[in-house]
């Protein structure tokens, strides 16, 4: 570990999740992954500080869920034993409260999950914060490689297991999803001993949300395979058809070099060969 | 008199008898006259419909007369031509010269082509645009970067705004957002539709909505007309990790899930190119894309690998196969035989009892294509086969098939790739 590396100030936005089977309140999976990322980064950059932040109502159930995050920092040792709770009445908009708090605290890195597991769950919160604070935002994060001189080098997860390297100037907001490393277990003792530091947050009711009809999710109808055929013969052929490419090109009686050339051209056109 | 159709009973008799030495020429001659036999129905001089029962039907491949009562096939003309012409004519060509409003769609164009999600989204855009047949709207597609899609019009696009500059390549949300803001300023579309796909429309759409100051709807899977809503539509969207259905009026910006509507298949549209009047202001980017990182292809799960090199019973040189996979940067797959014989691990098996793969390019080496294997590769875009047997099922499925010795062709391919990489390194 090099001595010139300085610690950074991080804020992890956490929410109350919901267990997919039992429906009980728990720490949200993506937010826990975000805290895991922050804890790993703290281990590599000594002198970093992590602030846990949550905006919402305080109840027994949500408190138990939020303490789950405090239990993750059992062996970090840098005194992550408080969680800042911006207390709001039920049904308020969390964005103004969080934006006010962040612009006052000025952390260099804000880590959030992609979508909440309760409420609207639209995944808009990080984008709204980025627009309000004017900070850059990177989503789908897999890892933070290094932070140097106010520039973070990140790995973004692409579909099909690919990764992309990005450089972003701090302060920035980063969102993690299921591609980030899985969260460690939460220890019960530190979770009990941790403190929830409650401060009243801005209470703006979300009137638009209150006007919508919310119901448990209906099963989506399965799409039917529609065959528009003029005749019974066409319908039968469509139903009995084997999966076939049909218009495939067959190279027969060519030398292996010519065959390889044709394959190479196709691979090149599709862009799967990386140089 | 020349319009009168004269029958040649002897030639018809020869045409019916496929063992006759002049059968082929008689068939050809009959085919040339009047597009395959006599007309079966015509209007007589007194206005009465006359029928010729002998003119109905055609001579089948066994020399027996067949009658197709569906009306799809008439006369003895080649069946392929007639049907294709009918199919092409069936799709209505639509041109909207003076649209009442615009519906802007930003497709993902994964790999340069319209994905299924994009096509569903365009179907949704058509529903919004064609709601009032008196005053139809136009669907505007904003396309970033280079693309290979030639059938934009068939997917339901009326106008295409192609922004192909270098700055939009890779992960450039700020540059793309600046371009979309310019589109909004200049064209002011009534609706903005984006696919709610991670790293594509989901990211860009949320940024756009925040910039426009709209509260978008995300995860839309259904829309219906509603006169009370401000834009005349109501939508149903998923919320809270897919556990809730939220019904609300459709806002200007909507991010839709896959299968939100049926893709367009009955009409063809113009896909006229469009350009912006003013240049897009260059946004100062605080995010720099350093390009993709080389990922160990062996570590990528087979189900989500992009490029698979798969081996079957025809592979004898296993060292060469593994080397080829390393050089090409492909994930290795195998058929059941190769796994059962112990050459490959069980988790590499492709097919009904192994993994169902979704690769963009599937390179099958020495695989004959059992039906279980072909089921496993249904989701692949392009299939390339190298095989010794030109009659096997894999060749029928493949987009490109090379008949020859697998080891030699793979070695030549590896040499070609290495040579090209060496050349690039010299040039750089």
């Amino acid at each position: 570990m090099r001595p010139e590396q300085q610690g950074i100030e991080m804020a992890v936005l956490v929410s109350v999740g919901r267990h997919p089977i039992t429906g009980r309140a728990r720490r949200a999976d993506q937010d826990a992954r975000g805290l895991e990322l922050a804890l790993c980064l703290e281990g590599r950059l000594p002198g970093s500080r992590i602030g846990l932040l949550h905006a919402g109502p305080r109840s027994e159930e949500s408190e138990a869920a939020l303490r789950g995050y405090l239990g993750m920092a059992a062996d970090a040792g840098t005194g992550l034993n408080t969680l800042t709770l911006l207390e709001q009445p039920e049904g308020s908009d969390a964005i103004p409260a969080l934006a006010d708090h962040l612009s006052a605290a000025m952390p260099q890195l804000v880590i959030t999950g992609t979508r909440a597991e309760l409420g609207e769950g639209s995944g808009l919160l990080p984008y709204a914060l980025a627009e309000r604070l004017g900070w850059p935002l990177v989503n789908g994060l897999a890892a933070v490689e290094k932070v140097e001189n106010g520039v973070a080098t990140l790995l973004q997860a692409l579909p099909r297991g690919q990764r992309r390297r990005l450089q972003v100037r701090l302060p920035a907001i980063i969102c993690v999803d299921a591609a980030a490393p899985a969260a460690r277990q939460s220890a019960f003792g530190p979770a009990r001993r941790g403190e929830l530091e409650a401060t009243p947050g801005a209470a703006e009711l979300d009137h638009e949300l209150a006007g919508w009809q919310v119901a448990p999710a209906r099963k989506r109808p399965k799409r039917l395979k529609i065959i528009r055929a003029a005749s019974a013969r066409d319908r039968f052929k469509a139903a009995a058809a084997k999966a076939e490419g049909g218009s495939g090109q067959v190279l027969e009686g060519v030398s292996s070099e010519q065959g390889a050339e044709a394959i190479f051209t196709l691979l090149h056109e599709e862009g799967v060969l990386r140089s | 008199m020349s319009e009168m159709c004269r029958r040649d009973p002897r030639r018809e008799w020869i045409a019916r008898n496929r063992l006759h030495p002049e059968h082929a020429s008689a068939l050809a001659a009959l085919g040339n006259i009047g597009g395959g036999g006599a007309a079966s129905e015509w209007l007589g001089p007194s206005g009465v419909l006359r029928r010729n029962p002998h003119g109905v039907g055609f001579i089948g491949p066994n020399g027996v007369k067949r009658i197709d009562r569906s009306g799809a096939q008439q006369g003895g003309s080649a069946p392929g031509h007639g049907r294709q012409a009918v199919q092409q004519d069936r799709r209505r060509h639509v041109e909207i010269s003076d649209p009442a409003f615009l519906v802007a769609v930003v497709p993902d164009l994964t790999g340069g082509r319209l994905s299924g999600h994009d096509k569903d989204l365009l179907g949704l855009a058509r529903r919004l645009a064609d709601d009032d047949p008196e005053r139809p709207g136009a669907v505007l597609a904003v396309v970033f970067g280079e693309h290979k899609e030639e059938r934009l019009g068939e997917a339901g696009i009326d106008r295409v705004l192609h922004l192909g500059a270098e700055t939009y390549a890779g992960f450039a949300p700020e540059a793309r957002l600046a371009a979309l803001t310019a589109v909004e300023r200049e064209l002011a579309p009534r609706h903005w539709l984006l696919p709610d796909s991670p790293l594509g429309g989901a990211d860009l759409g949320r940024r756009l909505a925040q910039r426009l100051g709209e509260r978008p709807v995300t995860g839309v899977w259904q829309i219906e007309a509603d006169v009370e809503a401000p834009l005349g539509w109501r939508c149903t969207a998923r919320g809270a990790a897919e556990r809730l259905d939220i019904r609300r009026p459709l806002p200007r910006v909507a991010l839709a899930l896959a299968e939100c509507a049926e893709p367009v298949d009955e009409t063809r549209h113009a896909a006229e190119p469009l350009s912006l009047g003013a240049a897009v202001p260059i946004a100062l980017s605080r995010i720099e894309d350093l390009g993709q990182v080389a990922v160990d292809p062996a570590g990528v799960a087979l189900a989500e690998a992009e490029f698979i090199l798969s081996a079957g019973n025809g592979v004898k040189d296993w060292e060469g196969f593994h080397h080829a996979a390393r050089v090409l940067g492909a994930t290795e797959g195998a058929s059941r035989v190769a796994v059962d014989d112990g050459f490959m691990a069980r988790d590499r098996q492709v097919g009904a009892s192994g993994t169902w793969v979704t690769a963009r390019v599937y390179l099958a080496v020495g695989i004959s294509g059992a039906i279980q294997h072909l089921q496993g590769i249904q989701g692949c875009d392009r299939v390339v086969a190298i095989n010794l047997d030109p009659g096997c099922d894999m060749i029928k499925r493949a987009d490109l098939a090379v008949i020859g010795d697998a080891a030699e062709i793979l070695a030549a391919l590896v040499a070609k790739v290495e040579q090209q990489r060496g050349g690039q390194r010299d040039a750089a």
Side-chain angles (χ1 to χ4, degrees):
Chain A
M1 233 163 277
R2 286 173 294 173
E4 68 263 26
Q5 274 188 343
Q6 295 165 354
I8 56 166
E9 192 96 1
M10 286 178 276
V12 183
L13 308 188
V14 295
S15 65
V16 178
R18 185 174 190 274
H19 193 278
I21 293 162
T22 61
R24 277 191 213 145
R26 60 158 191 181
R27 52 183 179 140
D29 177 58
Q30 293 177 343
D31 295 340
R33 284 172 194 261
L35 181 56
E36 172 71 36
L37 198 77
L39 289 171
C40 291
L41 202 61
E42 188 198 29
R44 282 189 284 146
L45 296 173
S48 299
R49 278 175 39 78
I50 300 175
L52 280 173
L53 191 57
H54 172 77
R58 183 173 191 166
S59 68
E60 207 164 296
E61 204 181 15
S62 71
E63 193 174 324
L66 292 173
R67 281 184 184 279
Y69 295 106
L70 288 170
M72 285 171 67
D75 54 348
T78 45
L80 176 65
N81 49 16
T82 53
L83 182 146
T84 311
L85 174 66
L86 303 175
E87 219 172 327
Q88 290 179 314
E90 186 83 47
S92 331
D93 194 353
I95 295 166
L98 288 174
D100 290 348
H101 185 92
L102 288 177
S103 58
M106 281 303 283
Q108 283 172 287
L109 205 57
V110 178
I111 304 176
T112 77
T114 302
R115 284 184 187 210
E117 295 176 9
L118 285 175
E120 191 190 353
S122 61
L124 279 170
L125 183 129
Y127 293 89
L129 288 178
E131 192 69 26
R132 282 202 182 205
L133 301 170
W135 294 354
L137 181 144
V138 177
N139 68 334
L141 205 81
V144 177
E145 288 194 317
K146 61 181 177 198
V147 181
E148 270 178 1
N149 307 328
V151 175
T153 311
L154 315 168
L155 275 188
Q156 192 183 33
L158 299 181
R160 302 191 175 280
Q162 303 296 315
R163 296 281 183 270
R164 179 156 59 192
R165 190 167 285 139
L166 301 172
Q167 262 188 355
V168 61
R169 204 159 310 151
L170 300 181
I173 301 180
I174 57 182
C175 308
V176 295
D177 60 10
R184 62 187 72 177
Q185 280 192 336
S186 175
F188 183 70
R192 279 293 297 263
R193 288 192 292 275
E195 281 172 39
L196 259 59
E197 207 174 80
T199 50
E204 283 179 36
L205 279 185
D206 192 344
H207 294 290
E208 219 176 319
L209 181 67
W212 299 340
Q213 299 169 15
V214 179
R218 253 191 310 144
K219 210 170 176 191
R220 286 183 65 182
K222 230 179 182 175
R223 178 178 273 179
L224 296 174
K225 190 178 160 199
I226 300 167
I227 300 164
R228 287 200 180 81
S231 66
R233 185 160 174 263
D234 286 349
R235 273 195 297 279
F236 177 75
K237 271 174 78 176
K242 247 195 199 175
E244 268 179 32
S247 60
Q249 183 196 1
V250 180
L251 299 179
E252 202 169 354
V254 295
S255 73
S256 53
E257 276 72 31
Q258 284 167 319
E261 174 80 46
I263 295 174
F264 180 75
T265 317
L266 186 138
L267 296 183
H268 202 76
E269 271 172 15
E270 290 295 322
V272 288
L273 289 179
R274 262 178 227 104
S275 46
Chain B
M1 287 303 279
S2 61
E3 287 147 29
M4 184 176 285
C5 190
R6 287 200 175 277
R7 293 175 63 196
D8 183 347
R10 180 175 153 73
R11 202 190 284 149
E12 285 175 15
W13 176 76
I14 295 175
R16 281 200 298 276
N17 182 1
R18 70 190 169 101
L19 299 177
H20 197 278
E22 289 169 29
H23 171 69
S25 60
L27 260 190
L30 274 184
N32 289 339
I33 298 168
S40 58
E41 277 183 6
W42 68 95
L43 215 57
S46 56
V48 181
L49 192 69
R50 312 305 301 258
R51 290 177 205 275
N52 175 13
H54 302 291
V56 179
F58 57 97
I59 307 297
N62 292 341
V64 179
K65 185 164 186 173
R66 317 305 305 249
I67 300 175
D68 184 352
R69 301 209 185 268
S70 68
Q73 209 168 26
Q74 291 257 323
S77 60
H81 296 291
R83 181 147 326 132
Q84 270 177 9
V86 168
Q87 261 185 4
Q88 277 180 358
D89 291 344
R90 211 177 53 202
R91 277 195 291 187
R92 205 151 40 83
H93 190 82
V94 179
E95 219 161 291
I96 298 167
S97 54
D98 190 20
F101 58 92
L102 284 177
V103 180
V105 178
V106 188
D108 274 346
L109 286 172
T110 322
R113 295 204 180 81
L114 287 174
S115 62
H117 196 167
D118 289 339
K119 286 180 183 166
D120 295 344
L121 190 71
L122 286 165
L124 187 72
R126 278 257 67 94
R127 263 189 76 190
L128 292 174
D130 298 339
D131 183 41
D132 185 0
E134 300 293 308
R135 302 174 64 246
V139 173
L140 163 76
V142 184
V143 175
F144 290 108
E146 293 305 313
H147 68 92
K148 300 177 220 158
E149 185 66 52
E150 290 147 10
R151 302 200 211 152
L152 288 173
E154 290 175 30
I157 297 173
D158 296 306
R159 308 273 189 279
V160 182
L161 177 62
H162 186 210
L163 300 164
E166 277 285 301
T167 43
Y168 304 121
F171 186 67
E174 288 165 330
R176 289 183 180 208
L177 183 59
L180 292 185
T181 320
V183 172
E184 164 73 19
R185 237 190 343 262
E186 198 159 312
L187 302 169
R190 186 184 289 182
H191 298 278
W192 278 99
L193 295 182
L194 290 99
D196 202 353
S197 56
L199 288 175
D203 183 47
L204 191 61
R206 289 183 171 89
R207 286 177 201 266
L208 176 71
Q210 293 301 329
R211 184 60 54 87
L212 302 184
E214 298 279 340
R215 184 161 184 180
V217 58
T218 61
V220 177
W221 60 275
Q222 202 175 42
I223 61 166
E224 55 216 21
D226 178 11
V227 281
E228 286 167 20
L231 285 172
W233 293 92
R234 219 174 161 67
C235 62
T236 312
R238 283 276 196 252
E242 311 273 304
R243 295 173 155 274
L244 294 180
D245 268 344
I246 300 175
R247 295 195 55 198
R248 55 180 283 196
L250 186 73
R252 277 194 68 209
V253 184
L255 284 80
L257 295 175
E259 302 199 1
C260 53
E262 289 297 322
V264 176
D265 64 346
E266 284 181 338
T267 50
R268 285 183 292 148
H269 292 261
E272 285 170 32
L274 201 74
S275 57
L276 284 179
V280 176
I282 294 165
L284 187 70
S285 179
R286 291 159 299 180
I287 303 172
E288 194 187 342
D289 189 349
L290 302 182
Q292 280 204 16
V293 182
V295 179
D296 180 17
V300 177
L302 199 55
E304 61 172 66
E306 190 175 26
F307 176 28
I308 297 178
L309 181 66
S310 195
N313 200 25
V315 173
K316 297 287 175 274
D317 174 16
W318 285 94
E319 279 304 308
F321 173 78
H322 294 308
H323 177 65
R326 269 196 304 280
V327 172
L328 295 174
T331 307
E332 290 181 7
S335 73
R336 187 193 57 80
V337 184
V339 171
D340 279 0
D341 290 352
F343 292 114
M344 298 284 281
R346 181 60 71 189
D347 64 336
R348 295 281 133 192
Q349 181 179 338
V350 173
S353 50
T355 313
W356 291 53
V357 298
T358 55
R360 254 187 338 110
V361 179
Y362 186 81
L363 180 47
V365 185
I367 298 177
S368 62
I371 187 72
Q372 290 86 353
H373 192 85
L374 293 182
Q375 279 173 353
I377 62 169
Q378 264 174 1
C380 295
D381 274 356
R382 309 296 294 270
V383 176
V384 183
I386 303 176
N387 211 310
L388 269 178
D389 174 15
C392 66
D393 282 346
M394 183 54 92
I395 303 282
K396 288 177 195 149
R397 166 68 174 83
D399 298 283
L400 171 67
V402 182
I403 312 296
D405 182 61
E408 277 177 26
I409 293 173
L410 269 189
L413 184 61
V414 165
K416 186 130 194 65
V417 172
E418 278 177 339
Q419 177 199 346
Q420 199 232 6
R421 284 197 187 145
Q424 276 188 354
R425 237 165 255 144
D426 291 345

